[in-house]
DNA sequence: GCAATGACGCTCT
DNA sequence: CAGAGCGCCATTG
């Protein structure tokens, strides 16, 4: 299944987010790095905010480097993300944080390959 | 083309 | 481990 060539930076970010395996989460900075943006972690979040409600992109698998949801309150999006992640098997800390050591996805790692990983 | 904004990251305290 | 400050880069007006 040939992946559609990203026309803009946003599409590039979405492409990376779609690569995140279910039950795992990634950070904005990591996604930005994989997308080729480097340290433009802000643009990743900006792109997420531009996502429509009917999007197929698993934006809820993207959290900040602290393993916490950065969504602003009032939108209810943070609650939605939290609920979705738990449905995928992700466990939250008592402080509402995720153990990136266990659920953190570092992207296409060359190590341990061949088994397909996901 | 310039100025302002933003679902962030890293470092120091 | 938690909080505050500075830096980062792409999109929008």
């Amino acid at each position: 299944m040939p992946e559609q060539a990203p026309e803009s930076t946003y599409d590039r970010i979405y492409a990376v987010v779609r690569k995140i395996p279910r039950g795992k989460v990634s950070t904005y900075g990591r996604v930005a790095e994989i997308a080729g943006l480097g340290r433009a972690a802000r643009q990743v979040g900006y792109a997420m905010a531009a996502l429509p409600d009917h999007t197929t992109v698993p934006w809820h698998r993207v959290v900040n480097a602290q393993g916490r949801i950065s969504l602003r309150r009032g939108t209810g999006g943070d609650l939605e993300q939290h609920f979705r992640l738990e449905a995928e098997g992700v466990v939250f800390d008592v402080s509402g944080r995720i153990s990136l050591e266990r659920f953190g996805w570092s992207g296409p790692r060359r190590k341990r390959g061949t088994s397909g990983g996901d």
Side-chain angles (χ1 to χ4, degrees):
Chain A
M1 42 167 328
E3 298 179 14
Q4 301 173 353
E7 298 175 349
S8 58
T9 309
Y10 276 35
D11 293 318
R12 210 136 168 196
I13 296 169
Y14 302 149
V16 176
V17 177
R18 284 186 206 218
K19 287 172 179 139
I20 303 177
R22 179 170 164 287
K24 292 242 177 171
V25 296
S26 188
T27 63
Y28 293 94
R30 206 64 58 117
V31 173
E33 178 100 14
I34 301 168
L37 301 179
R39 301 164 181 108
R42 303 194 82 144
Q43 273 50 261
V44 179
Y46 202 80
M48 296 289 106
L51 278 171
D53 295 347
H54 57 75
T55 184
T56 58
V57 179
W59 54 270
H60 54 265
R61 289 179 196 153
V62 185
V63 296
N64 57 10
Q66 298 178 1
R68 239 190 187 276
I69 300 175
S70 303
L71 282 172
R72 281 199 173 177
R73 310 217 175 185
T75 61
D78 55 323
L79 189 65
E80 181 69 30
Q81 183 171 11
H82 185 123
F83 187 82
R84 279 197 175 215
L85 286 172
E86 283 193 324
E88 302 240 327
V90 178
V91 181
F92 279 77
D93 184 301
V94 289
S95 303
R97 298 195 302 252
I98 306 172
S99 301
L100 297 176
E101 291 291 328
R102 293 182 62 80
F103 301 103
W105 181 68
S106 302
R109 276 200 181 180
R110 306 181 184 178
K111 259 163 79 178
R112 190 244 301 186
T114 80
S115 24
D118 339 1

